[in-house]
Structure formats: C-alpha cells, structure tokens
Amino acid sequence: MPKVGLFIPCYVDQLYPQVGLSTLRVLRGLGLDIEFPEEQTCCGQPMANSGCGEDARPLAEKFLRIFARYDHVVAPSGSCVSMVRNHYEQWLAGKPGFEHLRDNTFELCEYLVDVAKVTRVDGDFARKVGLHMSCHGLRELRMASSSERMVAPFNKVKVLLEQLRGIQLVDLKRPDECCGFGGTFAVAEEAVSCLMGQDRIRDHEQAGAEVIAGFDMSCLMHLEGLLTRDKKPMQVLHVAQILEHARLS
Amino acid sequence: MKGHAESAAPFVANEPRAHWHDESLWFVRVKRDRQAATVPEWEDLRSTASAIKAHTLSRLADYLEEFERNATANGIHVHWARDGAEHNAIVLKILNDHGVKRLVKSKSMLTEECHLNPYLEAHGIEVTDTDLGERIVQMRKEPPSHIVLPAIHLKKEDIGELFHIQLGTEKGASDPKYLTEAARGHLRERFLGAQAGLTGVNFAIASTGGVVVCTNEGNADMGTSLPPIHIASMGVEKIVPRPRDLAIFLRLLARSATGQPVTTYTSHFHGPLPGGEMHVVIVDNGRARILGEEAFRRSLSCIRCGACMNTCPVYRRSGGYSYGYTVPGPIGSILGPQRDPAAYGSLPFASSLCGSCTDVCPVKIDLHHELLAFRQELAKKGYLPWQKRFSMWVMGQVLARKWAFLLGGRLMRTLMPLLPRALVYGPWNPWGKQRELPPMPRESFRDLLKKEPR
C-alpha cells in the first residue's frame, strides 16, 4: 500500500481545520495509509507570488525534506499543489528526491480520480451546487478542460460530485472565470479583486446555486468574505467536506 | 507614476460602466470561442504558430536581412531604426523629402509606442488616424485603450457627443450607422487630401520581401492606394519566413482578435505604386534586449490580437488606461516593465495569475508564468516597495519555523475575536474593506487531529 503524506496548507490548518479533517477522512475512507507530518507549515506560495522568491526557497527546501519520503503527497488545494509541481523547479532542480516529489504531489480530487481510481461515489447531497473551478487547479494542474482550449471536455471534480444522490450541479454563464482572489492580489488590488468576486457570486446566484463548492479554500475564503459581509445566504464548501460522508470505491 | 491599483480605482468605482466594459469584452471573448471551435485543428495551429515564432526568433537577424534583400529587389526602401526617436526621424525625413504636409495612417501600435503623432504634429504635419476607433480616440486626444478595439471604453453616446462637437452631427444622435456615415464622409476628405499613407505591419515575409496588413475597414488600402508614398512601420518581431507560415497566423489572428474567420481585408504589399515610393521602417526599440532574456523571450511572439486583454478578468474590470502603457493587459504587463521597470513595475502584479491569457493566446505565450517571473525579476533588481519586501521576509521567517507558525496562528485565532471590530476593520486592513475575515476557529487542524480516532 502506498504511503501518503497529507499536506494541509498553512491557512487551512489555522483557519479551516474542518476542511483538513474532511480531507483526512475521505482518504482514510479509501483505506489508505495516511500520515500528517507535523513539521510542515507552508509551501511558500505567498512569498513567491509576491516576487520574493528567495524568501520562499527555504520553505521549498523544507517541503522536500518533509515529504520526499512518501509515495504520494495529497493536499486539498489546487493552488498549493501547483506551486510544488510547477514552480519548485527553480529552487529544487537536481536535488535528490525532487522529481519524485514533483510527480507525486496531487490535489485531492485529481488524486481520487487519477491515482486512487475512484469510480463510484455513494452518498447524498441534496443541494443546488455551483462548482467554482479555481484557476490553478484548472489551468495549471489541468483538473478540467478550460473554456479557452479546444479540447474534449472533461472535469475531474464533476465526475465525483455528480454521482451524489440529489445533487443538482447548476450551469454558470462563465464556468471558469477567476474569482479574483489571486493570493496577495486580493489585498494589493482590493477594488478589482472584490468586483471580480461579486461578479462570480452573481453568476452563481443567477444559476440558482445554494452552495459554491470548490477545491481551493483560498478562493472560497474570498467569496465567503463577500457573502458574509453582504449577508447573503449562499454557503461555500470545500469538495472534501461534501465528499466526507460519501463512500468512495 | 501611479500604480495599476491606484489608476484602476476610479474605473472600478463606476460600477455600472465597469460591468458594461466587462460584458462588452466578454462578448468578444465568446465570439472568439465560437470561431476557434469551428477549427478542429485549433490546438495544432497554436502549437505550430508557437514553433514558427520560436524558430524565427532564433534566427531573427538572418530573416530580417533576407527580408531586406528581397524587399529592396521589389523596389522597396528599407530603413533600420534602433529606437522610437530614430523611427520618427526617418519617417519625418521621408515626408519632408517629398514635401508631405498631410499624412493618413492606418492602425499601428508601433507608432503609438514611438509617439509618432505628436512628433510629426510638432513638425507641422497633419496626421489623421483612419481606423474609426483610432480616429475617435485621436479626436479625444487620448491613446487607444485596447490594441484592437481602441475605443472600447467609450459608449455610442460618448461618440455621438464627440462627433457633434467635432463633425457637426446632430446633438444627441447616437445611432451607430448615422455616426459611422459621418465619420466615413469626414475620413474620405482626409484620404483624398493625403500626400502619403502610413500603415503598420502585421506580418513581413522574409522570402518574398513583402508586408501584410490586416484591417476590417479597408482604411489601410485607401491610405496606400491614393497617395504615391507608402510608409510601413514594423517591429523586428513581425517577420515570418515564408508565405506558407502566414497561412497559419492568418487563421489564428482574426479568430483570436474579434471572433471573425478572417479579417475583412488582408492586404499584401510587395512594392510601390507605379510612379510612387514604398518605405519599410524596421524598428528594434528594446526588442533585441527582450530577445536576450530567456525567461521573457516568448513575449516577442505576440501577434497583437488582443485576445489576452479580452479574456483577462482584471483588464475587463479596470480598463486599458489603468495600465498606463501603450500595450495594456497581460502582454503589455510583460512588455512595459521590460522597457521601464521603475515606471511599470506594478503591472506584473495587476494579475490574479488565473492563466486564462496563456490558454487563449494563439501563439502560446506563457503569459501568466512570465508575469510571475517578472515579479521576481523586479524584486531582484530592487524595484519592490520596502514594505512588501519586509512583510514577505517576516512571513518567510515565521513560516520556516514550525513553532513560530503555530504561535502566530494561535495568537491570531485567540486575539482576533477579542479585539474591537473597529480595530480589526480599520483602514489598514484592505481585506476587510468589502469582505469579512474568516471566523476564527478555536482549534487548528493539528489540534483536532489529536482527537481524531485512527
């Protein structure tokens, strides 16, 4: 049985512990051997994203030290996984174990579909759900076809969710528009960021969604912040939280 | 110079207009999607175009010299300009040599980049931009806000008002057909009175020594058919090796730009009119330096279709002027700071890095990765504000140590709920201006994990 290292992004660990727990439970439900290495903190994306690559380097090196010994590394975040898979090269190229780490770090849904080969999801979720395909999972990890590219449509998150009994996945006008979070962008470009978020919410509203589901808590944190401020009833949920009570096989 | 966020603020503050701008450009993006979908080999075309560009850029000097030989053999005068100033001086000399006082121009972002119009006007030449959108912004004494749709920031009512003042159309009239007719009459006079025509260049073909200009209004053809002198201004990167390469780009260009199968006019110029003269001015203006930068070289493949602008969620909601550079949007945010990192240093940050620009780009420029790389470049060269560098250094130090990370997290989760709201949501908290912070959980994930049964 493969040994799986659980990577819980820093802000999920501190602010959304339930999402971490749901991820763990989903993976354990598959009978996988999961370990949460206590030494982990952050992948370094906030610093790299701001241009301060040298401040991110020690975190990339630390990540390699911690996670190199696992067969697979799984995280409930498309963005942090993209950091490891697409951006660690600049600091870790040639280091022992790096290529293995890069090729074996997965976002939760893509792990379930591509590696654990889950084909059946047995459970209930009788809600109207809008799926927010966050950009890094979509266009950096290719978890789904993006609307710009002329390729056969696919969506690794949808194939899991649509099997839940009672779920109604609603149609958005702009299925893969960015929500405007963008890491430090959310603060540095507050006005544009919030307008993007409002537009994203309106698209879910017009589609009749009760829940915005996603696989990046950062995007959802931004949308939730806007929803709460505006006292809107729509809820945000991480896919792991939705899958937690289902049986996967 | 103001940063992007600051320049975007007034645009965003006018929310109905920002939404209208967003919808207008999204409409073009959807048209593009429909057209791209009609080409089964779309992704192959993109890869081929990208490969042709990479190849051409790797032998740029050879192809440019081949072009010069063949163009000269066709009777075209070829000029080389190191920068914008040289380009402008060359154009002025050609005009002066022939006593030209009235020039008509078709769309050329290169001449915008070189600030040709004000230069010629200062030297007593009447310059008329003949692309309708360009003419509109020229009348308003504004630069284009988009490279393909120069007046996309204006509503038909704005144009009705402008034409009323400038062309004497009826007050309050905003019917596009009526306004276009008025512009057509006005431009016809300028075409007939022009002594020389200047065009941009979409593609220059090395093996034939000719240039290709794509327009939707036929204005380049009008401007080059009547006056005896044709000046074509091109950046060094506009070269393609052979006519068959052109076929790839022409299928991509119009579909990506406006969602048309092909531009209405695709005009090939391979020599002067009988008795006339044709000049091609080949301009570097910093391009050779970009070619030497491995991380940003691919930005030179750009064919200026504007698709990255139409798709960019930030551009759509902040407008072209918020970028403050000749070429706005994702590609401009790479080209601008390469020219002047001090002036345009905020542009690589004017992106959520969503990657839509990269996926829409017909020549597969890895735009969002270049934007990210440029952020690091700016940091290395010392162009980041000290507050940002300092806060990221602190953050890096904290996150590198588990104890500091856990302590920081615990402090935040414990103290935040105790602090008065006015303190948490003060003006120093841009997150909280329109958004709530997440509710602070009592325990972290690792706290909860200890209680989780195995």
Side-chain angles (χ1 to χ4, degrees):
Chain A
M1 187 191 291
K3 196 153 186 63
V4 179
L6 181 62
F7 165 43
I8 298 297
C10 51
Y11 70 102
V12 173
D13 181 5
Q14 293 299 317
L15 297 174
Y16 294 97
Q18 285 303 334
V19 173
L21 221 48
S22 301
T23 307
L24 178 79
R25 289 172 182 165
V26 167
L27 292 169
R28 283 207 177 137
L30 284 168
L32 290 162
D33 180 10
I34 312 290
E35 204 171 274
F36 174 79
E38 282 277 331
E39 281 305 304
Q40 62 177 287
T41 53
C42 167
C43 67
Q45 187 168 191
M47 285 71 78
N49 185 295
S50 318
C52 303
E54 281 313 301
D55 295 319
R57 178 195 293 275
L59 287 156
E61 287 165 354
K62 184 181 165 79
F63 196 97
L64 177 63
R65 271 199 309 280
I66 294 170
F67 284 105
R69 62 196 164 98
Y70 294 98
D71 297 312
H72 302 140
V73 179
V74 180
S77 160
S79 193
C80 305
V81 168
S82 165
M83 176 74 185
V84 175
R85 204 184 290 169
N86 300 315
H87 302 285
Y88 267 13
E89 185 100 29
Q90 57 185 314
W91 304 296
L92 301 181
K95 299 226 163 148
F98 168 61
E99 284 186 15
H100 168 80
L101 177 75
R102 182 192 61 199
D103 299 344
N104 289 286
T105 300
F106 301 96
E107 184 282 332
L108 174 67
C109 296
E110 71 171 352
Y111 186 74
L112 295 176
V113 173
D114 292 347
V115 185
K117 308 279 184 206
V118 167
T119 51
R120 280 201 55 210
V121 179
D122 190 13
D124 295 288
F125 195 76
R127 307 281 297 274
K128 285 186 175 173
V129 177
L131 182 53
H132 175 63
M133 293 302 295
S134 55
C135 304
H136 286 176
L138 181 68
R139 300 196 187 87
E140 294 235 297
L141 301 181
R142 300 286 176 212
M143 288 170 59
S145 49
S146 66
S147 57
E148 298 88 8
R149 290 164 85 230
M150 300 300 139
V151 296
F154 67 96
N155 189 322
K156 295 176 190 177
V157 189
K158 222 170 177 174
V159 296
L160 296 171
L161 289 183
E162 68 190 1
Q163 296 185 52
L164 291 162
R165 271 184 301 277
I167 197 168
Q168 248 183 293
L169 287 167
V170 300
D171 288 324
L172 301 171
K173 283 185 181 161
R174 302 183 188 181
D176 49 23
E177 174 104 325
C178 174
C179 70
F181 173 68
T184 47
F185 178 82
V187 173
E189 293 259 358
E190 185 268 343
V192 181
S193 166
C194 287
L195 189 58
M196 287 165 71
Q198 299 287 12
D199 288 351
R200 204 69 203 111
I201 287 169
R202 263 192 288 274
D203 197 359
H204 282 82
E205 277 172 338
Q206 65 79 27
E210 298 159 4
V211 173
I212 302 180
F215 47 87
D216 263 300
M217 219 43 231
S218 49
C219 306
L220 296 179
M221 175 170 74
H222 163 67
L223 295 173
E224 185 182 38
L226 291 163
L227 288 167
T228 315
R229 175 65 60 90
D230 296 343
K231 301 194 170 49
K232 289 186 171 174
M234 208 184 288
Q235 194 189 355
V236 303
L237 281 177
H238 194 282
V239 173
Q241 293 172 291
I242 298 177
L243 292 178
E244 181 182 347
H245 305 290
R247 219 166 55 82
L248 311 182
S249 52
Chain B
M1 195 176 151
K2 272 198 241 175
H4 178 268
E6 228 178 319
S7 311
F11 190 93
V12 184
N14 188 346
E15 214 181 302
R17 206 174 174 105
H19 275 135
W20 169 80
H21 192 259
D22 166 56
E23 291 288 347
S24 309
L25 288 157
W26 186 256
F27 175 75
V28 184
R29 161 67 214 273
V30 171
K31 266 176 79 188
R32 171 265 173 208
D33 292 351
R34 274 203 291 271
Q35 271 304 327
T38 63
V39 181
E41 67 275 28
W42 183 257
E43 295 302 323
D44 293 334
L45 279 182
R46 288 177 73 219
S47 304
T48 310
S50 175
I52 293 171
K53 280 287 179 184
H55 164 82
T56 313
L57 289 170
S58 75
R59 290 163 175 71
L60 190 60
D62 297 341
Y63 282 123
L64 285 170
E65 284 174 9
E66 184 185 346
F67 172 80
E68 182 184 33
R69 277 196 304 278
N70 292 322
T72 308
N74 292 338
I76 300 171
H77 302 273
V78 177
H79 310 260
W80 299 86
R82 216 181 314 254
D83 54 24
E86 279 192 15
H87 163 264
N88 294 350
I90 291 166
V91 173
L92 180 65
K93 181 161 190 312
I94 300 167
L95 298 178
N96 282 343
D97 286 350
H98 297 83
V100 172
K101 288 289 168 203
R102 291 187 302 277
L103 174 73
V104 283
K105 277 175 66 206
S106 82
K107 205 162 155 5
S108 152
M109 290 311 294
L110 176 64
T111 58
E112 288 290 332
E113 179 187 315
C114 299
H115 306 293
L116 177 68
N117 287 14
Y119 173 85
L120 291 181
E121 281 157 7
H123 286 84
I125 291 172
E126 179 196 84
V127 183
T128 307
D129 277 313
T130 58
D131 170 275
L132 179 55
E134 287 268 311
R135 185 69 190 126
I136 290 166
V137 292
Q138 189 186 23
M139 282 180 179
R140 287 171 59 98
K141 303 198 186 325
E142 283 175 354
S145 76
H146 184 292
I147 63 170
V148 175
L149 314 159
I152 190 69
H153 59 296
L154 298 172
K155 295 192 175 190
K156 58 183 198 269
E157 290 77 18
D158 302 325
I159 293 157
E161 182 61 26
L162 175 74
F163 280 12
H164 170 64
I165 296 163
Q166 297 270 347
L167 304 179
T169 54
E170 274 175 54
K171 181 145 185 72
S174 64
D175 173 52
K177 190 169 180 311
Y178 169 74
L179 295 177
T180 311
E181 282 301 327
R184 180 193 289 261
H186 157 74
L187 285 171
R188 182 73 40 136
E189 277 173 34
R190 297 292 174 103
F191 280 124
L192 290 169
Q195 299 155 304
L198 187 145
T199 67
V201 170
N202 289 92
F203 304 98
I205 310 162
S207 68
T208 67
V211 301
V212 177
V213 180
C214 304
T215 72
N216 277 326
E217 298 168 19
N219 55 315
D221 308 77
M222 286 284 281
T224 52
S225 309
L226 293 168
I229 298 163
H230 174 193
I231 304 170
S233 296
M234 67 174 262
V236 288
E237 80 284 14
K238 294 289 179 184
I239 197 98
V240 296
R242 303 157 300 180
R244 58 183 290 194
D245 303 318
L246 189 66
I248 307 282
F249 292 105
L250 289 179
R251 297 185 74 196
L252 289 165
L253 178 67
R255 286 186 172 89
S256 298
T258 52
Q260 295 165 268
V262 72
T263 44
T264 315
Y265 300 88
T266 300
S267 307
H268 298 240
F269 298 95
H270 275 81
L273 291 176
E277 274 184 24
M278 182 173 166
H279 297 260
V280 173
V281 190
I282 302 175
V283 185
D284 177 56
N285 206 26
R287 287 161 177 74
R289 198 164 42 78
I290 298 177
L291 190 59
E293 298 275 349
E294 204 187 331
F296 309 109
R297 186 173 294 157
R298 281 167 75 180
S299 61
L300 284 182
S301 303
C302 177
I303 57 172
R304 300 289 191 271
C305 68
C308 62
M309 288 156 217
N310 303 340
T311 207
C312 176
V314 177
Y315 176 91
R316 275 189 264 116
R317 290 177 185 83
S318 59
Y321 296 144
S322 64
Y323 293 82
Y325 182 62
T326 314
V327 180
I331 184 69
S333 300
I334 297 165
L335 299 174
Q338 301 219 54
R339 179 140 307 144
D340 187 348
Y344 305 114
S346 77
L347 298 187
F349 294 91
S351 165
S352 60
L353 302 181
C354 76
S356 183
C357 48
T358 301
D359 273 4
V360 87
C361 179
V363 289
K364 285 192 162 182
I365 301 172
D366 52 346
L367 286 149
H368 74 296
H369 286 161
E370 294 204 9
L371 287 170
L372 179 63
F374 213 94
R375 294 178 183 187
Q376 301 209 8
E377 188 77 5
L378 287 165
K380 266 185 224 150
K381 291 185 175 156
Y383 288 108
L384 289 194
W386 69 266
Q387 297 93 328
K388 185 177 254 170
R389 272 183 294 123
F390 179 70
S391 59
M392 286 302 143
W393 176 80
V394 171
M395 200 167 171
Q397 294 297 315
V398 170
L399 290 167
R401 292 163 180 80
K402 190 184 97 177
W403 66 265
F405 163 64
L406 294 184
L407 180 67
R410 183 167 301 265
L411 283 174
M412 176 183 66
R413 283 183 287 108
T414 319
L415 292 180
M416 283 279 239
L418 303 176
L419 294 173
R421 188 172 170 90
L423 195 65
V424 179
Y425 288 92
W428 48 84
N429 175 3
W431 177 276
K433 209 171 153 198
Q434 300 179 64
R435 286 166 293 214
E436 288 298 303
L437 289 158
M440 296 291 140
R442 298 238 338 253
E443 295 170 295
S444 69
F445 167 72
R446 56 187 84 211
D447 296 335
L448 293 180
L449 184 63
K450 294 188 184 104
K451 302 178 194 164
E452 180 76 359
R454 278 240 44 166

